[in-house]
């Protein structure tokens, strides 16, 4: 996916109006004995879900929130849930909304081990705070402030003006925090499988193949039949970035072989069973097949988008979240570049 498209997606989904966040950044939901889903609420920038797993003498947390401030809110909720220290923190992949809160966990529990695949750690190093994309965000987002200010000055609707001002104020605080963050890197990495053998039951941290990113891991609790999937499987629309749909499908097939009843996804609500996994598998297969068909007919990128997006909307829009119309266009464009060899 091109850098311009990444910036556009960020501005579209993370600068949209949201309701003011409440006291708690996450809604804590029990899903199995000693296992809790922390479902992300409205936040700027958007948060990912978190899983909290109580071990015999400590706790394991999966993903760390999008900023240190939201991670601190989460830590407060964890402390209200248990007096056990967080000993392990798993980063499912390198995207910022899943690991920029690492530093808050380290400050609270200095002995915490941050676990990720080796690929994810390398991607974090490659795409750290100094990367060009974030630098562009820090330029583009303030430009949006100016546009919002101009809109607020022109509107005669006092309620709308107040909403715009709240949006500007919230994002100004988020950008200020982005400028001073110092994300912490994983301290423990592995290639395919890492198991924590605990008296409460084993915790398996698995790399089953490339999916949302090359280094995606899932956390699997076989005795409790719970899977924590990160963005490898979630409640929104799959985002195809640098991994082909075919690779992602193969990884989902590996995930399907695991014996689980409950999924704590990276985004969206807790899921039951494997129906969502099957939906994603079929959707990714159709993105690849329809895009390849258009390319084989000699269609350009724009022609392929204009042809394939309506087909996929008709099949899937009612089965995905409200982001689908935007996400499907990006997925088709990325799939086309992969098929044509134009991926940059």
């Amino acid at each position: 996916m091109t850098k311009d498209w990444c910036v556009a997606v960020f501005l579209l989904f993370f600068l949209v109006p949201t309701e003011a966040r409440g006291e708690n950044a996450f809604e804590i939901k029990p899903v199995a004995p000693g296992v809790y889903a922390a479902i992300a609420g409205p936040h700027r920038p958007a948060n990912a879900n978190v899983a909290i797993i109580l071990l015999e003498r400590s706790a394991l947390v999966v993903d760390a929130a999008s900023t240190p401030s939201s991670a601190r809110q989460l830590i407060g909720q964890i402390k209200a849930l248990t007096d056990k220290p967080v000993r392990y923190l798993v980063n499912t992949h390198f995207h910022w909304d899943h690991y920029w809160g690492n530093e808050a966990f380290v400050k609270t529990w200095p002995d915490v081990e941050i676990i990720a695949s080796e690929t994810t750690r390398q991607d974090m190093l490659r795409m750290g705070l100094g990367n060009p994309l974030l630098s562009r965000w820090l330029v583009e987002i303030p430009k949006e402030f100016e546009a919002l200010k101009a809109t607020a000055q022109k509107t005669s609707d006092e309620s709308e003006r107040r909403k715009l001002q709240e949006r500007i104020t919230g994002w100004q605080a988020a950008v200020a925090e982005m400028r001073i963050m110092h994300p912490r890197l994983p301290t423990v990495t592995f290639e395919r499988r890492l198991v924590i053998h605990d008296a409460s039951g084993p915790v398996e941290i698995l790399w089953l193949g490339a999916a949302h990113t090359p280094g995606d891991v899932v956390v699997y609790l076989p005795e409790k039949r719970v899977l924590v999937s990160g963005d490898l499987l979630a409640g929104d629309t799959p985002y195809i970035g640098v991994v082909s749909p075919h690779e992602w499908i193969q990884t989902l097939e590996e995930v399907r072989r695991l014996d689980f009843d409950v999924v704590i996804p990276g985004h969206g609500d807790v899921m039951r069973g494997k129906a969502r996994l099957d939906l994603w598998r079929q959707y990714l297969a159709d993105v690849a097949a329809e895009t390849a068909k258009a390319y084989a007919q000699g269609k350009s990128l724009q022609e392929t988008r204009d042809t394939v997006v309506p087909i996929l909307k008709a099949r899937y829009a009612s089965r995905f979240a409200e982001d689908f119309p935007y996400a499907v266009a990006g997925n088709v464009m990325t799939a086309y570049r992969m098929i044509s060899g134009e991926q940059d």
Side-chain angles (χ1 to χ4, degrees):
M1 181 168 286
T2 65
K3 291 179 181 178
D4 287 339
W5 181 257
C6 289
V7 171
V9 169
F10 179 84
L11 294 175
L12 176 63
F13 290 111
F14 302 131
L15 288 177
V16 293
T18 60
E19 297 178 4
R21 70 186 182 217
E23 181 180 351
N24 292 328
F26 297 85
E27 179 184 0
I28 308 297
K29 295 185 176 183
V31 299
V35 183
Y36 300 84
I39 303 301
H43 185 268
R44 297 183 180 93
N47 264 324
N49 293 340
V50 171
I52 304 160
I53 301 167
L54 302 186
L55 306 176
E56 183 181 33
R57 297 179 179 175
S58 62
L60 180 148
V61 172
V62 185
D63 286 330
S66 63
T67 61
S69 60
S70 58
R72 287 192 291 271
Q73 291 185 56
L74 172 63
I75 288 166
Q77 292 180 262
I78 293 172
K79 287 184 173 182
L81 186 67
T82 179
D83 59 2
K84 295 178 180 180
V86 174
R87 184 179 177 189
Y88 307 103
L89 173 62
V90 178
N91 292 152
T92 57
H93 60 291
F94 76 93
H95 286 167
W96 56 273
D97 53 327
H98 295 257
Y99 90 96
W100 277 0
N102 281 2
E103 64 176 279
F105 281 86
V106 175
K107 288 179 180 178
T108 305
W109 294 287
D111 295 330
V112 66
E113 295 285 7
I114 305 174
I115 302 170
S117 68
E118 178 61 23
T119 299
T120 286
R121 191 180 193 279
Q122 293 304 315
D123 281 337
M124 288 175 179
L125 285 168
R126 179 176 57 85
M127 295 290 289
L129 270 179
N131 80 82
L133 182 56
L134 180 60
S135 298
R136 290 180 68 182
W137 288 353
L138 293 176
V139 171
E140 295 293 337
I141 295 172
K143 288 181 181 177
E144 290 293 317
F145 295 159
E146 297 307 314
L148 290 173
K149 288 178 183 177
T151 302
Q153 290 173 354
K154 293 176 183 177
T155 184
S156 58
D157 186 326
E158 183 60 34
S159 175
E160 181 65 20
R161 182 183 296 111
R162 186 168 54 253
K163 288 179 181 178
L164 288 168
Q165 186 55 53
E166 289 173 354
R167 186 175 166 192
I168 292 166
T169 301
W171 269 103
Q172 285 175 330
V175 168
E177 185 173 15
M178 286 181 191
R179 294 186 187 279
I180 62 172
M181 287 189 301
H182 300 285
R184 300 297 291 264
L185 290 167
T187 54
V188 175
T189 62
F190 66 100
E191 294 296 331
R192 290 187 174 273
R193 184 171 183 262
L194 187 152
V195 181
I196 296 172
H197 298 279
D198 190 78
S200 65
V203 180
E204 299 184 16
I205 308 169
L206 308 172
W207 181 85
L208 298 173
H212 181 58
T213 72
D216 283 11
V217 300
V218 298
V219 176
Y220 176 48
L221 307 175
E223 293 186 2
K224 297 175 181 178
R225 301 171 64 87
V226 174
L227 180 77
V228 187
S229 63
D231 289 355
L232 184 150
L233 176 65
D236 51 8
T237 308
Y239 163 76
I240 302 171
V242 297
V243 176
S244 78
H246 300 293
E247 290 177 281
W248 200 338
I249 291 166
Q250 291 173 359
T251 301
L252 287 172
E253 290 173 352
E254 291 298 318
V255 172
R256 204 182 198 291
R257 293 188 176 96
L258 301 176
D259 191 12
F260 59 86
D261 297 323
V262 178
V263 180
I264 301 175
H267 299 276
D269 208 349
V270 175
M271 299 185 290
R272 308 282 171 175
K274 299 181 178 180
R276 189 74 182 180
L277 188 154
D278 293 335
L279 172 63
W280 274 38
R281 228 175 16 164
Q282 187 57 56
Y283 167 74
L284 290 167
D286 282 358
V287 168
E290 294 295 343
T291 302
K293 183 190 302 182
Y295 176 73
Q297 293 170 350
K299 286 182 167 58
S300 67
L301 172 60
Q302 188 61 49
E303 289 170 338
T304 297
R305 177 180 174 176
D306 293 344
T307 300
V308 175
V309 168
I311 293 172
L312 296 175
K313 280 185 179 180
R315 292 178 190 171
Y316 292 104
S318 64
R319 303 168 72 185
F320 282 96
E322 61 183 9
D323 69 323
F324 183 81
Y326 309 102
V328 68
N331 286 339
V332 170
M333 293 169 68
T334 302
Y336 182 94
R337 292 189 177 100
M338 289 179 174
I339 292 166
S340 65
E342 295 177 10
Q343 183 85 346
D344 61 15

